[in-house]
Structures are given as C-alpha cells and as structure tokens.
Amino acid sequence: MTSASSSPVTETILNFIDGSYRKGSEGKSFPNVNPATGTAIGVVHEASQADVADAVAAAKAALTGPWGKMTTAERVKLIAAVATEIERRADDFLAAEVADTGKPRHVASHIDIPRGAANFRMFADVVSTMPGESFNTSTPDGGQALNYTVRKPKGVVAVVCPWNFPLLLMTWKVGPALACGNTVVVKPSEETPRTAALLGEVMNAVGMPKGVYNVVHGFGPGSAGEFLTSNPDVDAITFTGETGTGQAIMQKAAIGVRDISFELGGKNPAIVFADADLDKAVEGLSRSVFLNTGQVCLGTERVYVERPIFDAFVARMAAAAQGFKPGVTSDRAYLGPLISAEHREKVLGYYRRAVEDGATVVTGGGVPEISGAEAGGFFVEPTLWIDVAHGDTVMREEIFGPCCGIVPFDSEDEVIALANDTVYGLCASIWTENMSRGHRVAAAMDVGVCWVNSWFLRDLRTAFGGSGHSGIGREGGVHSLEFYTEITNICVKL
C-alpha cells in the first residue's frame, strides 16, 4: 500500500495477508471514490476466494506460532505499542479517513483517530486485569473441590466493518480480539478501505507476528465478505452494519455453529419533556441528528416533544440545522457528504416520501448549493419534519441521513409506548430536569443504551449493543471478553 500521505490520485490499496501487501490474485479491482468530490482517487485490489482463504490460513497458523505462545503481559505490551504508533501517525490516518469518508478534518481528528488508538489501549488495560472465577465446592463424600475458570482465545475472528466510522469501529473489534489472543481477518467496507489497510503498516512497525492481523478488500455477496464469513476455519464473526446484511451473515454463521456479535440498524428515539433545559436539549439533539451527516448508528431519527414546548423546540432545532455549513474544506464545515451517490439517492427518496405522506418540511429537504471541487460531492440538506404520523415510513425505517421527524406528546405513558413501538432497540435519549422521571423513563426503554440529558457520552468499559433488529450481544470492557474468549471450567477434587 502506498502511504496515505502521498498523492491520493495515484494511491493503490492492497490486501494485507500474512504480514505482506498483495494484489488480488484474480486481477480484479474497483475505484475508491472521495464522496466530497464524487471523483475516483485510487484503486482497490479485490481479494479472490483464494486470497481470503490464504488470509484465514495465515490467521489460523499464527494461533500456534509466536503470537500464540506470548504471555498476556507480552501481548498487552505489543497492543499498547499499536496504539502509540497510531497516535504517532495520526496525520496519515486522518488523511486516509477524510479521503474515504469525506468528513470535515476537524470532525475526524477529534473523534475517529483518537478513538482508534484508545480502543487498543483500553482493551490492553482490560485484559491486564481480567477477572476469573473460583468456587470451593463441597463433595458428596464430605470432601472439597476447587472450581476455577480459564479464558482462552476463540480463534480466528472475521471482522466485517461499516463505512461510517471505519477506523473507530474496526479497532473497537480488533482491539479486544487481539488483546484476548485471537487473530483477525478484517473485511472493511468497499467504500472505506484505507485505514484498515494502513493499519497493516502499523502492525509491521511494532513487530506484530505475521498472520495476526489480515485485511481483505471487496464486496459482500460473491466477493470477500461472503468468502470470509463462509470459510469454515473462521471461528467467530463480528459485524457492524445494516440489519439485512446481518441476517445474511447469520445464515452463513449457522453452518459450523460459529459465534456472532452484531451491532445493526436503529431507529433511535429521543424524548424531550417540558421541564427539560431547552439549551441543553437542542445542543445535544442537533448533534445526535446531524453528526456525521446522520450516518451514525446511535443517531436520532425520531424526536418526541411534550406539547407545551413543542413549537419552541422546533424553532430552535430549525435554527440549529440552518447554521450547519455543508462541506469539508472549511473550518466551519460540519456536514460532510453522504458516503456515496447511491446512499444519497436513498436518503433523498425518503425526503420525497415524507412530503408524499403529508409531512411539513420545517427546513431542508433537498441538496445544498456548493461551488468548487465539492460541487460533485454527495451532499444533502439537514432536514426536519413535523406533521408526521408515528406510522409514516420516515418514522419506521432507518434512513441514515441528517434528518428527523418531530412529534408532540401529552403524557409519559403515551411517549414510552411510542418510543418502544419499533423493531429496533439500539439506543434512546431522555431530556428532563426531573431525575426521578429520567431514571424511570430510561429504565422503561427497550434499548441497549439510554442517555439522560446527553448523547454519545461513552465510557468504553460499559456494555454496548442493541436488542431486537439492532443486534446480538454486548461489547465493551469486560463484556467483550464474553465474545472474544472461550471459558473452560476446571474442577479439581481436593
């Protein structure tokens, strides 16, 4: 792979297998497009089925090589070195992430790259203090037995990544997988291949044994994604992305009864009570609706506002939306492009559907006027709707764009029922100055994560995941150990 700091027009992105960069063995490639300009800025070499098999074989062999023989202390030291090297090469990772996603640099530099390093460092710390269980057991003959647990790596883990936070969400999985002694084969999104490939340079620089970290590029069905999740030597699969893709992967995982960890789609609600601090609520929800142009799994697409403050809230949110400047190059830019022309057409389709169903557009609803190189980018306007019914399409289906419907409510019981009336269950946020109500309503939400008077406030040690169509399992802190390790209970008769 050429350096991410070199000319993006000539960049070639290769697969990383067994410690070396490789072209695809069948000679297939596809363009890498910058969504901020709509132009091709490089070429990505697609992995063949044979290439994916080589990557899995390398990962399997590494389990019994030097990597598998390391002590926990030695492994943790190496993983901490990965975090330090990411920080040292932060500019390279930032350039790669901005080119792939079209995010404004000041946004990616404060979220994506620091978290990429933090994920390795935090899980190194967790594994260093990993707890075990032990029990003294009375035996039928009046004696004693000692039961204790030993955690072991699960094996080869397939890491299938999304495009919205490529480095952050990839390292959220690779960090704990490696900390627990597994090896990985990463399949980044075809839209955002750069940082996963660049991480191979970091692995080599810190002396990571060959085969521990591998990257294969390509698409889903009939390509690297299907080849990887179908490979019988893959012991577990972790995936973040769209629910339909998760269902397809789950079918593959059933063959061989492989373990899965899924963080999938969402249609996340926010509830704003009349006693909420309006400044706090508008600031928080303008982030949760519009951050990363709405391309956030935890983002808010349904907002329920108690009727006495409904008009004031809508006016304040509209002013916030109108203050966001689309673009990438300006320091004032907040709203980058959507990831692709295809995704932009999907989001604009929902914009049209909202109006067809009778919604009133408070602000936005189309494509902004942008001049210069970014005129060809995949931008849309931040959009708010009122006069939407709870059953409307834009209130039921995940859009993954910078938009939300705002609906009034009159009682606590009513709004709890509305918020929970969905097949998804990823997250929610509650806005109230009455902490008794905050605790009570948060506990009533059928979600994996619920914030009160905040959003996206994360402690990486806490459980993260969703219920229903939003996923299977929990990761974060010691919760990740349940997926990335196998437990053996040892019983010794004393």
Side-chain angles (χ1 to χ4, degrees):
M1 174 184 176
T2 59
S3 170
S5 60
S6 62
S7 172
V9 176
T10 60
E11 183 166 20
T12 299
I13 302 162
L14 304 174
N15 302 289
F16 184 75
I17 300 172
D18 203 23
S20 300
Y21 286 98
R22 301 187 192 177
K23 297 180 178 180
S25 60
E26 293 183 356
K28 295 181 180 179
S29 63
F30 54 93
N32 186 218
V33 175
N34 184 338
T37 62
T39 57
I41 53 175
V43 63
V44 186
H45 283 258
E46 183 177 354
S48 67
Q49 188 164 9
D51 298 327
V52 173
D54 284 350
V56 173
K60 185 175 182 179
L63 291 167
T64 55
W67 175 251
K69 296 178 174 61
M70 284 186 182
T71 65
T72 298
E74 291 170 334
R75 195 168 64 240
V76 162
K77 183 178 180 180
L78 199 53
I79 291 166
V82 171
T84 300
E85 184 68 4
I86 291 173
E87 291 166 344
R88 189 186 72 81
R89 296 192 60 179
D91 288 345
D92 289 340
F93 278 96
L94 179 60
E97 203 78 329
V98 168
D100 269 0
T101 65
K103 294 181 184 181
R105 290 180 63 88
H106 63 92
V107 174
S109 64
H110 284 90
I111 300 175
D112 302 60
I113 311 309
R115 264 290 302 275
N119 286 336
F120 282 106
R121 187 164 284 117
M122 187 274 294
F123 283 110
D125 291 341
V126 168
V127 171
S128 297
T129 57
M130 184 164 47
E133 290 182 332
S134 64
F135 302 94
N136 289 317
T137 306
S138 297
T139 61
D141 61 3
Q144 293 286 312
L146 174 65
N147 282 275
Y148 65 95
T149 58
V150 174
R151 288 187 181 270
K152 295 175 287 189
K154 191 152 285 183
V156 177
V157 179
V159 179
V160 185
C161 306
W163 45 256
N164 55 334
F165 290 93
L167 180 66
L168 186 160
L169 292 174
M170 182 262 289
T171 56
W172 176 243
K173 300 171 181 299
V174 172
L178 298 191
C180 292
N182 301 282
T183 57
V184 299
V185 180
V186 175
K187 207 297 280 185
S189 168
E190 61 274 16
E191 306 284 1
T192 53
R194 291 168 181 253
T195 47
L198 184 59
L199 189 58
E201 295 183 12
V202 169
M203 296 294 177
N204 285 346
V206 303
M208 187 67 70
K210 293 181 178 181
V212 172
Y213 175 81
N214 305 272
V215 180
V216 291
H217 298 296
F219 305 90
S223 188
E226 182 178 353
F227 302 151
L228 179 59
T229 55
S230 300
N231 191 298
D233 285 331
V234 167
D235 299 296
I237 304 168
T238 177
F239 167 70
T240 295
E242 188 264 335
T243 299
T245 304
Q247 292 173 338
I249 292 174
M250 195 170 182
Q251 290 177 325
K252 301 294 183 184
I255 302 172
V257 197
R258 276 93 54 77
D259 206 357
I260 56 173
S261 178
F262 287 170
E263 195 263 283
L264 306 175
K267 192 67 177 178
N268 307 309
I271 300 173
V272 185
F273 287 96
D275 68 348
D277 181 319
L278 205 53
D279 289 338
K280 191 186 299 181
V282 170
E283 189 279 330
L285 289 173
S286 62
R287 287 184 63 241
S288 73
V289 175
F290 302 122
L291 179 68
N292 201 35
T293 318
Q295 299 169 123
V296 181
C297 58
L298 300 170
T300 302
E301 292 189 359
R302 297 183 289 146
V303 180
Y304 301 98
V305 181
E306 200 164 10
R307 200 173 298 274
I309 64 166
F310 182 81
D311 291 341
F313 177 85
V314 170
R316 294 278 295 276
M317 278 292 286
Q322 291 159 6
F324 292 136
K325 179 179 174 60
V328 174
T329 54
S330 168
D331 288 342
R332 291 183 58 244
Y334 184 84
L335 287 179
L338 296 175
I339 192 63
S340 65
E342 179 184 19
H343 187 53
R344 180 170 68 170
E345 183 50 39
K346 173 190 171 184
V347 171
L348 290 174
Y350 280 109
Y351 283 13
R352 293 189 292 269
R353 180 62 183 269
V355 174
E356 291 167 2
D357 287 345
T360 298
V361 179
V362 178
T363 187
V367 177
E369 292 185 8
I370 301 179
S371 59
E374 294 173 0
F378 310 131
F379 296 91
V380 296
E381 292 178 327
T383 298
L384 301 174
W385 302 293
I386 58 172
D387 301 323
V388 285
H390 180 69
D392 286 353
T393 300
V394 295
M395 295 295 285
R396 307 298 294 174
E397 298 179 8
E398 183 179 40
I399 300 172
F400 225 54
C403 56
C404 73
I406 309 176
V407 176
F409 72 90
D410 295 300
S411 73
E412 185 177 308
D413 288 344
E414 174 197 8
V415 77
I416 290 172
L418 289 170
N420 285 337
D421 183 22
T422 175
V423 297
Y424 296 105
L426 185 53
C427 73
S429 65
I430 314 298
W431 302 85
T432 177
E433 292 301 294
N434 181 331
M435 283 302 98
S436 292
R437 173 188 284 144
H439 285 287
R440 182 172 62 246
V441 176
M445 293 294 99
D446 296 332
V447 296
V449 181
C450 187
W451 288 280
V452 178
N453 293 332
S454 67
W455 176 77
F456 218 158
L457 182 59
R458 293 278 291 118
D459 183 323
L460 302 185
R461 299 169 295 182
T462 60
F464 179 81
S467 58
H469 287 201
S470 288
I472 296 173
R474 297 292 184 270
E475 296 186 18
V478 296
H479 306 281
S480 291
L481 306 184
E482 298 304 313
F483 176 70
Y484 292 104
T485 61
E486 293 285 5
I487 296 178
T488 298
N489 184 82
I490 299 173
C491 180
V492 180
K493 178 73 165 63
L494 301 177

